[in-house]
Amino acid sequence: MKRIGIITSGGDAPGTNACIRTVARRCLYDGIELMGIFDSWDGLLADKVRPISRDDVTGIVATAGTMLRSSRSKLFLNDGDETKATTALARHGIEGLVVVGGNGSQMATAKLSAAGFPCVGVPKTIDNDLAGTELTVGFLTAVEMCTHALDNLRATAESHNRVMVVEVMGRNVGWIAVEASIAGGADMALIPEFPFTIDEVCAKLSLRHDKLGRNYSMIVIAEGATDSGGVLADAGGVKDELGRPKLGGVGQLLARELEARTGYDARCTTLGYLQRCAAPIAADRILATRVSDKAYDLLTTGQSGMLAGLQGTEVRAVPLADIRGKEKLVTPEYYRLAELFG
Ligand code: F6P
């Protein structure tokens, strides 16, 4: 290959720039030209494509966001979209593509590869919900941010005898909520995978406050979690670019409901984009470097349609066809760890 491309897609995640830097460095050493595709798939169609130089990637290992910018695109949702993408890639003489992204992005990688265009995936999303890899780039930094927030919010909760509800990201899966809850010493983690009722949450609170004499509690809730009674289901009607409900707000609803039912003073803090915007911690920089290095190897040795996934201590080639439509959920065994300290 003489010229390859790199694209970042979906929500930004700490460590994405370290991925771009790694592929750029490998290209430099092999004499391959790297083309950066800006503004994701829509940017590709609009020819926002230019070479990435050594200078472009100097110093970016430590930076947040993505220098290529990103978006959620509708491209690949319809039959025939692959042709639009391959035509645009051909216009720029791009012979192979590295796609840095989460579930939606890797679905696109699989489609492009099935259409005959060489491309590979680098797992990147703070949600850590991509199957085929134990970790995704950005997740560990997001957990770190949430853990710091919990450590700090504990002081306020304790000083004011409050129940502090902390809402974190996680549309369908609760990895951030569970890991931050374990690390930050929360009393409950409420996640989409495991149904709960508001009454159960109230019962746990009254056990802590009335029986054990605690004066405060910390509850982490994933933005996609709802109670089985549907009290927290906040349709809102607002949709994102892909037509999915815009999430955010479940924590406020929970705090209001808990206060009404128990009489304890309850507040909510929504961590929102603070989880995504931080500089990557060292572990994310290293993971980003390892999976991108592997993805480059896969692409340049003709192994299209693969994700560079972390499995155990190794980064391996995972066929994207095998993980299509699958989300990596929090397992009951893992969730038990968070419940242990409730
Ligand atoms: O990147 C995935 C994610 O973090 C989800 O947990 C969340 O629902 C979504 O991003 C929100 O991002 P945006 O508002 O940028 O679409």
Side-chain angles (χ1 to χ4, degrees):
M1 286 179 172
K2 291 268 169 283
R3 179 183 285 178
I4 66 171
I6 186 163
I7 190 165
T8 60
S9 166
D12 65 330
T16 307
N17 282 336
C19 297
I20 300 165
R21 167 188 185 250
T22 304
V23 175
R25 197 48 83 92
R26 290 292 309 269
C27 283
L28 188 75
Y29 290 142
D30 289 349
I32 292 178
E33 188 174 18
L34 180 64
M35 302 298 281
I37 297 163
F38 289 75
D39 293 323
S40 197
W41 300 109
D42 294 339
L44 171 65
L45 299 187
D47 294 320
K48 294 186 183 174
V49 180
R50 71 159 172 84
I52 299 297
S53 70
R54 188 179 188 134
D55 285 351
D56 283 328
V57 297
T58 297
I60 65 170
V61 68
T63 58
T66 162
M67 62 163 283
L68 295 174
R69 303 190 295 272
S70 193
S71 68
R72 298 188 196 280
S73 167
K74 288 194 180 126
L75 191 67
F76 297 106
L77 293 184
N78 299 309
D79 288 343
D81 283 352
E82 292 90 318
T83 315
K84 289 186 197 165
T86 52
T87 305
L89 289 160
R91 248 189 334 262
H92 296 278
I94 295 172
E95 300 165 73
L97 185 66
V98 177
V99 180
V100 185
N103 274 312
S105 316
Q106 301 312 341
M107 186 254 309
T109 316
K111 284 188 170 182
L112 263 185
S113 180
F117 190 85
C119 55
V120 295
V122 171
K124 177 269 319 167
T125 161
I126 65 161
D127 290 346
N128 198 33
D129 57 353
L130 189 60
T133 185
E134 285 172 26
L135 287 173
T136 52
V137 172
F139 168 66
L140 292 173
T141 304
V143 171
E144 192 76 19
M145 294 301 290
C146 295
T147 303
H148 281 311
L150 282 168
D151 289 348
N152 293 342
L153 289 167
R154 177 183 301 279
T156 293
E158 192 167 10
S159 301
H160 289 267
N161 303 309
R162 279 179 184 158
V163 174
M164 184 65 78
V165 175
V166 182
E167 182 184 309
V168 301
M169 282 186 172
R171 176 172 288 274
N172 301 320
V173 305
W175 282 111
I176 296 176
V178 164
E179 293 224 337
S181 175
I182 294 168
D187 304 301
M188 273 175 257
L190 306 174
I191 64 173
E193 292 94 323
F194 298 97
F196 61 91
T197 65
I198 308 275
D199 284 344
E200 282 164 5
V201 178
C202 291
K204 284 188 184 169
L205 285 180
S206 77
L207 176 75
R208 274 180 57 77
H209 291 235
D210 303 338
K211 299 240 164 41
L212 299 175
R214 305 286 183 256
N215 76 315
Y216 75 99
S217 290
M218 306 284 290
I219 301 177
V220 180
I221 184 164
E223 61 182 356
T226 46
D227 62 305
S228 13
V231 177
L232 302 179
D234 175 34
V238 186
K239 300 272 166 63
D240 71 6
E241 302 93 315
L242 299 180
R244 308 174 304 178
K246 255 191 189 168
L247 297 180
V250 73
Q252 291 288 0
L253 289 176
L254 178 66
R256 208 180 305 153
E257 202 63 33
L258 294 178
E259 190 167 296
R261 293 192 193 195
T262 64
Y264 306 135
D265 194 10
R267 299 295 158 92
C268 170
T269 301
T270 301
L271 298 185
Y273 299 102
L274 287 171
Q275 296 160 84
R276 286 206 329 222
C277 64
I281 61 170
D284 257 330
R285 300 179 199 188
I286 292 162
L287 176 68
T289 304
R290 292 182 67 202
V291 289
S292 305
D293 182 65
K294 179 71 174 182
Y296 177 88
D297 280 343
L298 294 171
L299 185 65
T300 52
T301 55
Q303 298 178 71
S304 181
M306 296 288 176
L307 176 81
L310 182 72
Q311 300 193 338
T313 57
E314 300 297 316
V315 180
R316 298 188 195 282
V318 179
L320 284 164
D322 291 357
I323 60 169
R324 194 171 178 168
K326 294 182 187 162
E327 270 182 319
K328 187 179 63 194
L329 303 179
V330 174
T331 60
E333 299 75 43
Y334 212 94
Y335 189 53
R336 191 188 58 80
L337 272 182
E339 287 192 303
L340 197 59
F341 302 98

